[in-house]
Amino acid sequence: MLCDAYVVDTNSLQKLLSPGSYIGNVTAPRWSDYEAPLPGAVVHPVSEQDVQTTVKWAAERNIPLLARGGGNGWATTFTIDKRGIVIDLDQLRNVTFSADKKLVTVGGGALISDLTTACQNDTLVATGTCDCVGVLGALLGGGIGRLTGEYGLGVDNVVSMNVVLADGTFQTVTAESSPDLFWALRGAAPNFGIVTSAMLMAYPTDSNNPATAWVGALIYTPEQLDPVLSAIANLTLTSHMALSMTWVLGDNGTPSIIVSVFYHGAEKAGRAAFASLLSIGPVRDGTAITPYAGWNAGSAAACAKGGRKPTWGVGMSHLDLASWHAVYDVWAELVQQTGTERSSMLLTAYPMDKARELPVSTSAYPFRGTVSYFATFTALYTDPAFDAEALSYGMRARALWQSADGLAHHSTYINNGFGDENLRTIYGDSLPRLQTIKRKYDPHCRFNQWFPIS
């Protein structure tokens, strides 16, 4: 009983922090409330040095900790309770460009919207597709997005990282200064430290690298599912292309299939590239030439915080139409249950040729050579009494996808994982080397909240 009632005491920590840093006991809303961390205190550092002070203070007292960026991680691997702390990086949202706009330094708490706004439509950066997501959280898991075809994975665009290690040591990590740690952070960062900022490659715009793209939603009916799936499965994505597909239930109770297309270039070229999808005859065409800061506008609804949203992810080498039809049936059944109407499925696909120019051993992200499609299945509801049933639906969908994923070993992008996957599914062939590096940099497993490799 005493252990259950204990709440971490942070009075001694507050005295060590800079003015502007503060400690509260309320966690900011997360994307999903399902098995969310429930810390005893939330520390809001105002500087990288305050992050270092907090980690050192916690290490000396053996207090569990978890760093928070955008608060969108949904995995069930969190174990933080009232005896531990969350270090919220929400005051470290700075975005600073070099004079030539070819490098950008991003704070550990910066959201994708902070970065795209700072780019001012004259610079592009390889980043994710949801504005509410933390830049570095998404990127350091691998970093897939609309510009993957041109600039490679997000982890391929990292120049250096400022990191607070398990003992409170502060280190600037580069490929030259700490090759093993630089490798491990790019794919498994939360297991090794808190990345308080990172310097990334940036790409100034010009006539060959425009600040605009043809982007938007093509909406189809359920009766068009088969030709839509066939078109996506047979579509060759060139470097300037990307797409996603989601299934949603409209306010009138009618399902819609939404395919979001992206072409970094002129509308005419984009329509030619996606001719196979357009020829099906979407019931609505919402595409338009859009500036960089607006490319993620379609993510607004998906970014809504709160609600229980257990989510299952699967990587695939190809699309198997039979398994996708079966998953659609699972989703269609789920959204008929009371309170689950906003449950959804998301498929994303990006051209991987640029990423595959580098060997798999370039970073700890293990699936650049094998996974081409990334699928997630989300059950969205508010009543905890539905948890067991929600898990049943999600696991059915995941099993169907995995039965035809076309891979030698099941592979799930770490940012999409549910939390119960075996470590080989998350880390692939990188796992043994990661475990060796873990023993060197975090022998006491202080960083153990996000698919812990220990």
Side-chain angles (χ1 to χ4, degrees), residues 307-376:
R308 303 176 79 79
K309 299 171 186 163
T311 298
W312 294 260
V314 174
M316 307 168 188
S317 67
H318 70 290
L319 297 189
D320 173 77
L321 301 191
S323 65
W324 275 85
H325 278 287
V327 172
Y328 180 85
D329 291 342
V330 173
W331 171 80
E333 180 183 328
L334 168 63
V335 294
Q336 296 304 315
Q337 309 306 308
T338 303
T340 65
E341 298 84 2
R342 293 169 56 208
S343 299
S344 61
M345 185 290 311
L346 176 66
L347 167 71
T348 56
Y350 308 102
M352 298 299 292
D353 290 348
K354 180 67 175 179
R356 290 170 181 167
E357 290 177 2
L358 298 176
V360 175
S361 59
T362 299
S363 69
Y365 173 71
F367 306 131
R368 73 171 68 229
T370 54
V371 174
S372 299
Y373 299 92
F374 304 83
T376 56

Side-chain angles (χ1 to χ4, degrees), residues 431-441 453:
L431 182 60
R433 185 179 176 189
L434 284 169
Q435 290 172 325
T436 298
I437 299 170
K438 177 75 169 178
R439 287 191 288 270
K440 175 180 178 181
Y441 286 97
I453 62 175

Side-chain angles (χ1 to χ4, degrees), residues 94-98 103-107 115 160 162 197-200:
N94 50 297
V95 177
T96 308
F97 286 89
S98 62
L103 295 171
V104 60
T105 300
V106 180
L115 176 56
S160 66
N162 284 349
S197 66
M199 182 182 291
L200 312 174

Side-chain angles (χ1 to χ4, degrees), residues 264-289:
H264 188 201
E267 178 175 354
K268 182 178 180 180
R271 288 188 174 278
F274 288 100
S276 59
L277 280 162
L278 290 164
S279 67
I280 296 168
V283 295
R284 180 184 170 193
D285 181 341
T287 58
I289 291 293

Side-chain angles (χ1 to χ4, degrees), residues 35-315:
E35 296 202 15
L38 297 170
V42 181
V43 184
H44 300 263
V46 76
S47 69
E48 292 179 300
Q49 290 68 35
D50 285 324
V51 177
Q52 180 183 16
T53 297
T54 303
V55 171
K56 186 175 181 180
W57 174 88
E60 291 171 348
R61 292 159 178 80
N62 198 32
I63 293 171
L65 57 86
L66 167 69
R68 170 191 162 110
N72 292 280
W74 62 67
T76 60
T77 58
F78 300 121
T79 59
I80 288 286
D81 59 17
K82 298 299 182 182
R83 292 164 287 186
I85 62 172
V86 162
I87 303 174
D88 195 325
L89 304 178
D90 58 345
Q91 297 198 86
L92 302 180
R93 292 174 63 173
N94 50 297
V95 177
T96 308
F97 286 89
S98 62
D100 63 3
K101 290 292 191 85
K102 292 184 178 180
L103 295 171
V104 60
T105 300
V106 180
L111 305 181
I112 288 173
S113 59
D114 297 326
L115 176 56
T116 57
T117 299
C119 286
Q120 298 181 337
N121 290 319
D122 64 7
T123 310
L124 305 181
V125 180
T127 189
T129 58
C130 287
D131 278 343
C132 61
V133 172
V135 174
L136 298 187
L139 184 149
L140 293 174
I144 52 175
R146 293 188 178 94
L147 293 174
T148 294
E150 295 177 78
Y151 307 141
L153 298 172
V155 292
D156 302 335
N157 285 268
V158 177
V159 177
S160 66
M161 292 164 278
N162 284 349
V163 184
V164 178
L165 300 175
D167 61 356
T169 303
F170 184 84
Q171 186 173 335
T172 298
V173 178
T174 68
E176 293 74 28
S177 68
S178 304
D180 276 353
L181 188 56
F182 187 74
W183 176 86
L185 289 168
R186 294 175 304 125
N191 275 277
F192 294 91
I194 299 176
V195 179
T196 55
S197 66
M199 182 182 291
L200 312 174
M201 297 179 193
Y203 302 88
T205 58
D206 55 33
S207 59
N208 295 316
N209 187 40
T212 58
W214 179 69
V215 60
L218 305 174
I219 300 179
Y220 301 88
T221 67
E223 292 74 25
Q224 295 172 302
L225 177 61
D226 190 66
V228 167
L229 286 172
S230 295
I232 294 174
N234 293 307
L235 186 63
T236 299
L237 295 176
T238 61
S239 62
H240 289 66
M241 299 168 68
L243 69 79
S244 66
M245 175 180 66
T246 189
W247 305 328
V248 298
L249 195 66
D251 293 338
N252 61 359
T254 301
S256 290
I257 299 164
I258 303 175
V259 179
S260 296
V261 293
F262 172 88
Y263 187 86
H264 188 201
E267 178 175 354
K268 182 178 180 180
R271 288 188 174 278
F274 288 100
S276 59
L277 280 162
L278 290 164
S279 67
I280 296 168
V283 295
R284 180 184 170 193
D285 181 341
T287 58
I289 291 293
T290 305
Y292 179 56
W295 290 359
N296 291 347
S299 69
C303 278
K305 302 290 188 182
R308 303 176 79 79
K309 299 171 186 163
T311 298
W312 294 260
V314 174

Side-chain angles (χ1 to χ4, degrees), residues 418-451:
F418 173 71
D420 64 344
E421 296 87 353
N422 67 61
L423 293 182
R424 174 67 181 271
T425 298
I426 298 296
Y427 296 112
D429 291 339
S430 295
L431 182 60
R433 185 179 176 189
L434 284 169
Q435 290 172 325
T436 298
I437 299 170
K438 177 75 169 178
R439 287 191 288 270
K440 175 180 178 181
Y441 286 97
D442 186 14
H444 302 296
C445 299
R446 296 286 299 149
F447 294 111
N448 60 5
Q449 295 293 305
W450 187 247
F451 295 95

